[in-house]
Structures are given as C-alpha cells and as structure tokens.
C-alpha cells in the first residue's frame, strides 16, 4: 500500500500542535500569573504607603487634639473664660499666652491658635490680646464656625493666619469652651497649615499623586502630578465611602486612565487617595509580557524543527501497526482508512468503556448505599436485582447465610445524654458499628427510625458469630458512650428476598425481649417463635393515589390517602407490620418526588421522618401526617415550579413579617404555617427579595425601632420587648451595630436636631 502524503502532513501538524500548545498555555498562564502578582504587589505597596500616610497624619492630629484638650481643660483656662482680662489681670494673660506658645513649639505643625471668650469679650492669638467686639469690627469677613459637636476638625475658613507659609489650605481644630459645659461661652481655634502636614509624606513622581480630602470633600492637601478634573472626581467618590473603609478603583480623567487607592478615616472622616497613572503601574507588566513573548517564540521555532524531524521517525511504526490491524480486520475489497483515525477509534472505545465503569463507581455514594439498604429492608426487590445492586455498590452477595441485628438505645437516665440526643447517639453508634465490624462480614449499617440495623454475613455458624458480634458492639458502645443498648437478632436466612422478614424478626425480638424483662441481647430463635411474620401492601390503591398527585387533584388525592392508610392498618394485625408498610409508603412517595426532580427532604431530614413515623399511631394520625408531610408539599412543589409562584410566596412572607413582627417569627415557623420545607422556603425568599428572611426581619424591626425612638416616648426596654429581644442589652448591641450609635444616643441626637431645626425656623421667621 502506497503511503498517502496527507497522513504525514497530519502527523507533522499534530506533533507541532501537541508540542506548541503547552508552550503557548505555559506562556499565557505564566504571564497572567506573574503580571497579576506584580500588580498585586504594587497595589499592596500603595495601600501600605497610604495607610502609613494616614497613620502619620492622624497621629499628628491626635497629638495636637490631646495637647490642646489638656490645655483647655486646665483650671487656668476655665478661670480666664469668665474674666475680662483687664490690665490688672496681666499675670493671667501672660500665663495663657505662655501656654499657647508652648503648644506651638510642639513638633506638631501648629501655626497659630485663637482663644476666644464671649463672656469676657476678649480674643488671644499670636499677635496678642484683643477685645472681641473691636477685633470682630476690624475683621468683618471673619465668621466663627458653628459646630453641632463640642470639637471638630474644619478645613479652610476666613480666620487670618500669619504663619500659613503660603499654604493654600489651613486645617483648624475648633473646640467649644468650656469643654464639659452644655452651653459654650468661648471657643478655641488651632490652625495647622496643610503644608506642614505634607512634610509627613511624599509622592513618587510626576506620574503619582497624593490627595487628602476632608469629610465634606474639600481639599486638604495635594502633591504630585496635576490632572484637571481629578479632584472633583475624587470628591464624588469619597462621598460614597463609609468610615474605616479602604480599597481601590480605576478612574478615567480626560484621556488618562488612573488607578486610585483610597482609605477613609473613621477618626475625622478624611479621605486619603493615592493616584498613579496606569502606564506607570503596568510598566513592569509590559516588560514581563515582551520577555514571555520572545521566550515562547524561540521555543515554538525549536519545536517546529523537532516536530518535522520526529514525525518522520514516528510515522513508520504507526503505519506498520495500522497495516497489521487492517490485515486482520478486513476481508474482500480494501477500503482506505486514515491510520490515526482507525487507531484512535480503537483507543476511544477503550476509554469509553473505562469512563463508563468509573462513572458507575462515582455515582454510588454512601447516601445511595444507605438508601438502597432501606429499600432492601422494605422488600419488593427481586433476588437477581438485589445481587446485582450489591455488587454494583461493592458489597459481597455470595454469602450462604445472613441475619439482622437491630439495636435500640436503652434508658438514658443516669447518663450525660437526654432523649433529644437519641438521633445523634444512633448515628454515632452506626459509625462505631461500621468501624468495629469488617466489611467482609457485614453489609452497610444504617439507621432506620429509632433503630440501628446491621446485616451480618457468614457461614452456617452465623448464629453464634452474630451473638459474639452483638456482645462486642454492646461492650464497645458502653465503653465509648457509657450508654446501655438492647440488640435483637433475627434467625438465619439464606435468600436476600427474606431480609424484610429477618428485619421484622429482629424488631420483634427487641419488643418481646423488653416485655419479658430478659437480657440486653435477644435472639428471635430463643423466644420460641417459629411462624414467619407476614405483611400485605395495597399496591393498586397506591398507584391511584400517585396518579392523583401527579395530576395535582387534591379532591381525589385526600380520600385515596385515607383509604390507603386504612388498608395498611386493616391488612396488618401486628403493629410492626403496620409501621413497616407505612415506611414503605414513605419511601415510595420520596421516590415519586425524585421522578419530578424534587427533593422534599435531605437524607438527614428523611431520617427524621422515619423517627416521626415510628412514633405515630398510624390508624389515627397516619393519613394526616402523610398529607401534611408528603402529599401536600409534593403537590405544591409540582404546582409551584414557576417564578410567578415564587414571588407570591415571598409576598406572603413579607406580609407575615409586617403583621407579626412582634412575635417569635422564624423561617421554620413560617414554613410550618405555609406547609413548605424551611430550606425551600428560605431559598425562594432570598431569590425573590435579594436578602435572607432573617436579615429582612431584622431590617424591618430596626426601621420600626428608629421610628419609635423618633416619634414616641417608649423606653428602650419596651421597644426591646416589643421587637422580641431577650433583654434590652441584646437590642442595644444590635441597634449600635446597625446604626453606629446606641438607641439612647440616637434619641438624644434626634431631639437635639429637632431643637436646632426649631431655633433655625424661629430665627428665619424673625
């Protein structure tokens, strides 16, 4: 057979792709990773520098604030505020001036300090002592700051500042005097030229800038490159930041793209910005990009040569293999087939088989194994199907005999556990049994209702082995958990289809053994029971019920459910048979939900359903329990698989919150009322409203608290009780976390704001 040229070309191209693709991917991901690391490190460096700048500035401001507060809180200032400072009081003036000069000698950048007394009608600053009325007349443009708080940092102003050093901006610390008095009789203004704050830091170059804005967006300090429109853009951005926040964003100013790192102070509300041009930021990245490009290009050229040379040597064996396989597969007229395609088809067939087997293994989880065991105990499966499923789950099915061990927790009095811990104890015991017994002598242990069940496999001596295993389990549980248990052992069976009967025998051993007051381990064969336990199940009636559920026919489903439960009770005289068939109905309903891709309950919740079912009086409570727990939710979920229905449910929950906010509302209580699964209801609410149910409830209650604090005289305790807090302290903590201040402080600020608004309106009317 002559070798077609296209095969050789395909091989060359393929070798080139295989060899070059890793280089391209390596270059791409290497560049992406390294450039990302570089950008991250640069961003972290800028963030650290900006944080250091903020710390330096705030340290200076806090030092000034503390020193001035200490001076203004002294007895000297307090005495002088109410004195006229006449010539005979020169000593007091001299002491005040000396202290003020001392403050300016601090390495704090203070340029000047004004000390004003409205009661004494005087003003002191670097140029001396002045009468306040005369000085105000001489400086009519000066307007003293009107602060809502006793102390604040104010940028700018029209106070003269002889020591401003040509600074465009003055930072003022304004304090009302006296510091602790409700009504002020004076004021202190400390001036710091922003230029002096600039000595604490520096910007990198003409491609980097540092900008500080005050809480109102006014510029405090700026250094570095000048870009028209930068400061207004930063001002708009700073208004969106919350105190204490930090981060970064991109900003387009004119034709320039800038990268901004910001921090907003929770001390005085100032915003700190480090601005760098994108070109400067990405300069190292560009170097990495070109370096990576040249390296990858060189490697690609090398691989092109190697691909051409290597393909010539590799092609010959491939072609020989192809001819050898074709000669054994074909008969008659020879049909041209691509060698690579032919060999690839054989390899694909092998891989498909392998993936199919791996998919089967991955699809069978521990939960499915436990679910299969529950179905195995319920019966209804053929012997061949059971053996096949056991093998697919990795469990042996070739044992000549088996028996069932049913374990029940004894009395918990005198132990560290309570009745509510039974479920947790059963799962712990199940794990103990799983670790204690080797896999080659048992099937998967499970918890079903109030019992832990284990199927033991073995030989003809299994009865004695089961008794020994039960003793080992009992002793191990006693040592580890200090809990007494009772274990029932069924008779030995030989066919897997007899497992439901063995399960019934094990439960019957527990019941009859407890009634007779016998030992903790009871074998069914020791009780004298020889008659096999029997049960019946109305399959035809179940199918009618399932059809009604599928059609969402509530009027038809409810009477069918009543009849089905009555048939289960009437057809099984023994209580265990009734529970067994009720459990079968439960499992079949869960299987019906799976047909519609609906998960009514998680595996753990299904275990809880088993527990509830075993506690029920099926005759009187069974129909209502199945209706509320399974039939109604399943029919509702089938009907509500639409977005419009989700919104209706969310609106109903919102209505409940608005009408019953003063009750102990939870998503679980709402779910019980609306007959939904709590997890399902919670997911619907979050999908429709955008926030979890608990967050919406807390948000609504907080808004009510704000309104009551503004508009009513209700005490904090009364509001806390009305909003269902356990105690007022919990309400105060929650309110402060959301609002930033305590409820009492919030009410005080609202009252003060109302009073200020009233005074302002009277002043305007006058």
């Amino acid at each position: 057979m002559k070798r077609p040229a296209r095969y050789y070309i395909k091989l060359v191209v393929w070798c080139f792709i295989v060899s070059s693709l890793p280089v391209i991917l390596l270059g791409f991901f290497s560049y992406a990773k390294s450039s990302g690391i570089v950008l991250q490190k640069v961003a972290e460096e800028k963030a650290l520098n900006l944080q250091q700048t903020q710390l330096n500035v705030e340290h200076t401001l806090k030092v000034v604030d503390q020193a001035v507060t200490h001076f203004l809180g002294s007895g000297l200032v307090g005495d002088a505020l109410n004195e006229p400072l006449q010539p005979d009081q020169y000593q007091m003036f001299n002491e005040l001036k000396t202290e003020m000069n001392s403050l300016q000698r601090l390495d704090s950048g203070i340029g000047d300090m004004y000390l004003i007394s409205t009661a004494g009608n005087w003003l002191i600053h670097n140029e001396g002592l002045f009468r306040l009325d005369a000085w105000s007349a001489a400086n009519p443009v000066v307007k003293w700051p009107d602060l809502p708080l006793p102390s604040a940092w104010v940028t700018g102003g029209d106070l003269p500042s002889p020591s401003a050093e040509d600074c465009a901006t003055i930072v003022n610390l304004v304090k009302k005097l006296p510091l602790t008095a409700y009504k002020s009789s004076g004021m202190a203004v400390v001036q710091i030229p922003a230029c002096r704050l600039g000595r604490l830091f520096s910007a990198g170059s003409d491609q980097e800038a540092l900008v500080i804005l005050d809480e109102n967006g006014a510029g405090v300090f700026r250094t570095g490159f000048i870009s028209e429109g930068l400061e207004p853009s930063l001002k708009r951005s700073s208004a969106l930041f919350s105190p204490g926040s930090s981060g970064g964003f991109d900003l387009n100013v004119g034709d320039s793209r800038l990268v901004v790192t910001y921090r907003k102070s929770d001390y005085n509300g100032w915003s700190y910005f480090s601005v760098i041009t994108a070109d400067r930021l990405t300069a190292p990245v560009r170097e990495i990009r070109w370096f990576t490009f040249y390296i990858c290009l060189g490697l690609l050229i090398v691989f092109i040569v190697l691909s051409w040379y290597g393909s010539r040597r590799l092609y010959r064996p491939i072609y020989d293999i192809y001819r050898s396989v074709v000669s054994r597969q074909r008969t008659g007229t020879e049909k041209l087939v691509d060698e690579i395609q032919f060999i690839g088809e054989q390899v694909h067939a092998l891989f498909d088989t392998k993936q199919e087997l791996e998919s089967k293994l991955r699809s069978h989880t521990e939960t499915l194994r436990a679910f299969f065991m529950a179905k195995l105990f319920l019966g209804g499966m053929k012997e061949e199907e059971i053996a096949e499923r056991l093998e697919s789950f990795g469990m042996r099915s070739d044992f000549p005999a088996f028996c069932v061990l049913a374990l029940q927790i004894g009395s918990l009095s005198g132990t560290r556990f309570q009745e509510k811990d039974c479920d947790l104890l059963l799962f712990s015991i199940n794990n103990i049994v799983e670790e204690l017994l080797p896999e080659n002598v048992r099937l998967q242990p499970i918890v079903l209702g109030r019992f832990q069940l284990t199927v033991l496999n073995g030989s003809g001596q299994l009865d004695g082995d089961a008794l020994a295993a039960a003793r080992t389990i009992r002793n191990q549980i006693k040592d580890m958990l200090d809990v007494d248990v009772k274990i029932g052992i069924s008779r030995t069976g030989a066919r897997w289809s007899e497992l439901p009967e063995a399960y019934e025998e094990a439960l019957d051993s527990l019941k009859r053994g407890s009634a007779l007051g016998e030992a903790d381990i009871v074998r069914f064969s020791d009780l004298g029971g020889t008659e096999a336990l029997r049960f019946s199940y109305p399959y035809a009636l179940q199918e009618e019920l399932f059809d009604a559920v599928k059609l969402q026919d509530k009027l038809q489903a409810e009477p069918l459910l009543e009849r089905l439960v009555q048939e289960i009770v009437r057809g099984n005289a023994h209580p265990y048979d009734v529970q067994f068939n009720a459990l079968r109905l439960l499992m079949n309903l869960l299987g019906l939900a799976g047909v519609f891709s609906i998960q009514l309950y998680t595996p753990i919740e299904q275990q809880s359903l088993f527990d509830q079912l075993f506690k029920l009086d099926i005759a009187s409570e069974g129909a209502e329990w199945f209706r509320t727990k399974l039939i109604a939710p399943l029919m509702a979920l089938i009907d509500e698989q639409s977005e419009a229905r989700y919104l209706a449910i969310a609106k109903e929950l919102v209505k409940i919150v608005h009408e019953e906010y003063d009750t102990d509302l939870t998503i679980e209580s709402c779910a019980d009322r609306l007959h939904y699964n709590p997890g399902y209801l919670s997911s619907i609410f979050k999908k429709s409203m955008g926030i979890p149910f608990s967050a919406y409830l807390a948000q609504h209650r907080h808004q009510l608290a704000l309104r009551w604090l503004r508009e009513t005289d209700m005490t904090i305790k009364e509001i806390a009780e009305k909003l269902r807090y356990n105690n007022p302290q919990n309400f105060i903590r929650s309110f402060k976390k959301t609002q930033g201040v305590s409820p009492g402080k919030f009410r005080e600020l609202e009252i003060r704001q109302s009073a200020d608004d009233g005074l302002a309106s009277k002043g305007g009317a006058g």
Side-chain angles (χ1 to χ4, degrees), residues 376 379-389 495-497:
L376 195 58
M381 298 178 66
K382 297 180 180 180
E383 191 76 25
E384 298 78 13
E385 181 185 1
I386 295 174
E388 180 182 351
R389 297 291 296 276
R495 295 172 56 84
W496 292 118
S497 56

Side-chain angles (χ1 to χ4, degrees), residues 70 73 86 88 94 193 258 385 526:
H70 179 73
Q86 300 293 341
D88 58 346
N94 187 52
L258 307 176
E385 181 185 1
D526 295 337

Side-chain angles (χ1 to χ4, degrees), residues 572-586:
N572 299 278
H574 199 286
Y576 280 124
D577 295 340
V578 175
Q579 286 185 342
F580 186 80
N581 283 297
L583 183 60
R584 172 174 290 179
L585 176 58
L586 168 61

Side-chain angles (χ1 to χ4, degrees), residues 668-697:
E668 288 77 14
S669 64
C670 293
D672 290 340
R673 182 188 309 183
L674 300 176
H675 306 296
Y676 289 105
N677 177 270
Y680 177 78
L681 203 60
S682 177
S683 65
I684 288 178
F685 188 90
K686 186 173 182 181
K687 182 185 295 183
S688 301
M689 302 299 294
I691 61 173
F693 176 86
S694 58
Y696 182 87
L697 177 60

